[in-house]
Amino acid sequence: MTHPAMMLSVKIASVAVFLAIVFIAVPVLIAASGRTDLYYTLTSVALLSIASAGVWLTFYIGRINIGQGAYALMGGYVSAILVMNHGWSFWPTLPVAGLFCAAASVLIGLPILRLRGVYFAMVTLTLTEVARLLALALPITNGAKGIVSIPLPGALSVFGLTIIPDFATLQNPRLAFYLLAVTLMVVCFAVMYRLVHSRIGKLCQSLQQNEELASSIGVNIAYLRVIAYAVSSFFGGVAGAIFAAISQSIYPSSFTVTDSVNFMLNCFLGGLGYVFGPMLGTLVLYFGWDLLFQTGEFQLLIYSGLMIVLMLVLPNGLLSLALPSRKS
């Protein structure tokens, strides 16, 4: 077997094992242990990794994005408002929330994407706080009271055939949310992987390395920056919409500046040079923080210290341990 064919076989086998774990092994193990509360935990990890994947994409074009929490908050409110105020089914609000955030990111990104480094990072850092203040001030968002009592997702039917049952009728809606979240996570990272390995992905990578050189050979750098930022925000909006459906509520404080910073840290921890870095980073950071809860008042100190050590020892992230010579 040739080397490319062998690599392809390894990738296919790896994907098959991963899908078997998340769709079969995890539900079986949770059912055997009776720890159904873990469904919510793993659902949160899947959704946070989707939002973090969007942040990773902006890193891929050489921009430090600390504003993903703003788009997650927007997506949650768009979905909640459409469901509660306009009687929409949850399912069409998912793409609408993502598209709304993508459109908003285009308007916001056109001026700010010209900035680089710390300047772009600082502007995006304020976006989450601006989104929170808007949610507090706008009448449609119900201010500090938020939007509560959001119904669980109803049935999804196509040509009279029920594809997804009404979550309210299920014995265990947590399992349904878990399957929804991991399905979208798989689709998200499949899209990311395909995008990165496409012609557009290679052009985006050229922006990270040298924008002036890329522009000099005819690359439309402004267009690529806006497209990447829009896709990033779409992922954030979809993740936020599902979070609102799971908690059946959305508040201005549902996503804060801390969440935006954590989305960025997930990418650093997993590895900025690897498409699946945000997924691993989210998993480790989420469970690591919970494990450190046992240390009480020293939790934040130990967490910060470990993060600094990891960044120094593994500047390319945790995936660099297993994939030292691969970028995806």
Side-chain angles (χ1 to χ4, degrees):
M1 184 179 292
T2 62
H3 182 67
M6 184 180 299
M7 292 296 294
L8 179 61
S9 299
V10 171
K11 288 181 179 180
I12 293 174
S14 300
V15 171
V17 169
F18 175 75
L19 293 178
I21 290 173
V22 297
F23 286 108
I24 300 174
V26 168
V28 168
L29 291 173
I30 289 178
S33 65
R35 291 288 307 277
T36 56
D37 57 296
L38 289 175
Y39 279 129
Y40 179 80
T41 300
L42 294 175
T43 299
S44 298
V45 170
L47 296 178
L48 292 172
S49 68
I50 292 174
S52 299
V55 176
W56 183 91
L57 187 58
T58 54
F59 275 114
Y60 196 68
I61 61 169
R63 294 294 185 274
I64 303 173
N65 181 5
I66 323 179
Q68 188 74 322
Y71 297 107
L73 189 64
M74 285 185 205
Y77 268 109
V78 168
S79 177
I81 290 169
L82 290 176
V83 170
M84 296 296 290
N85 296 359
H86 301 282
W88 283 41
S89 167
F90 164 75
W91 302 107
T93 69
L94 266 184
V96 169
L99 290 172
F100 178 90
C101 291
S105 72
V106 171
L107 296 177
I108 296 171
L110 284 172
I112 71 171
L113 282 168
R114 300 174 183 272
L115 303 173
R116 299 185 188 179
V118 67
Y119 302 104
F120 179 81
M122 293 307 296
V123 171
T124 58
L125 183 62
T126 64
L127 284 179
T128 306
E129 187 63 14
V130 169
R132 186 186 72 84
L133 293 174
L134 283 174
L136 279 171
L138 295 176
I140 195 171
T141 60
N142 207 23
K145 296 179 181 179
I147 300 175
V148 298
S149 301
I150 301 172
L152 292 173
L156 176 64
S157 300
V158 178
F159 301 116
L161 178 65
T162 301
I163 306 298
I164 301 175
D166 187 341
F167 281 26
T169 64
L170 298 176
Q171 184 178 1
N172 188 2
R174 289 183 177 181
L175 172 59
F177 275 117
Y178 167 77
L179 294 175
L180 169 63
V182 294
T183 299
L184 289 179
M185 180 184 71
V186 169
V187 171
C188 165
F189 280 93
V191 170
M192 289 277 290
Y193 185 87
R194 183 68 189 91
L195 177 63
V196 167
H197 289 81
S198 68
R199 180 175 176 274
I200 292 179
K202 301 303 180 186
L203 293 176
C204 287
Q205 190 175 28
S206 70
L207 301 188
Q208 180 188 136
Q209 296 170 348
N210 192 318
E211 286 191 359
E212 287 77 12
L213 180 59
S215 179
S216 68
I217 61 175
V219 176
N220 189 336
I221 59 176
Y223 173 79
L224 287 177
R225 285 192 301 239
V226 170
I227 290 296
Y229 193 48
V231 173
S232 164
S233 304
F234 180 90
F235 289 154
V238 169
I242 302 177
F243 263 118
I246 293 174
S247 60
Q248 296 185 268
S249 61
I250 182 78
Y251 299 94
S253 59
S254 293
F255 291 96
T256 63
V257 172
T258 301
D259 295 302
S260 292
V261 172
N262 285 335
F263 291 142
M264 179 186 66
L265 290 178
N266 293 337
C267 300
F268 278 120
L269 184 60
L272 293 179
Y274 306 90
V275 174
F276 302 106
M279 188 189 299
L280 177 62
T282 304
L283 183 68
V284 173
L285 203 59
Y286 194 97
F287 282 100
W289 177 256
D290 284 347
L291 288 174
L292 290 175
F293 182 76
Q294 306 299 326
T295 62
E297 60 184 0
F298 299 104
Q299 181 185 22
L300 185 58
L301 177 63
I302 297 173
Y303 166 80
S304 304
L306 287 174
M307 287 296 295
I308 293 172
V309 171
L310 282 171
M311 294 304 171
L312 292 174
V313 177
L314 294 172
N316 295 323
L318 294 175
L319 276 178
S320 62
L321 285 171
L323 306 172
S325 62
R326 294 167 61 187
K327 292 296 181 184
S328 59

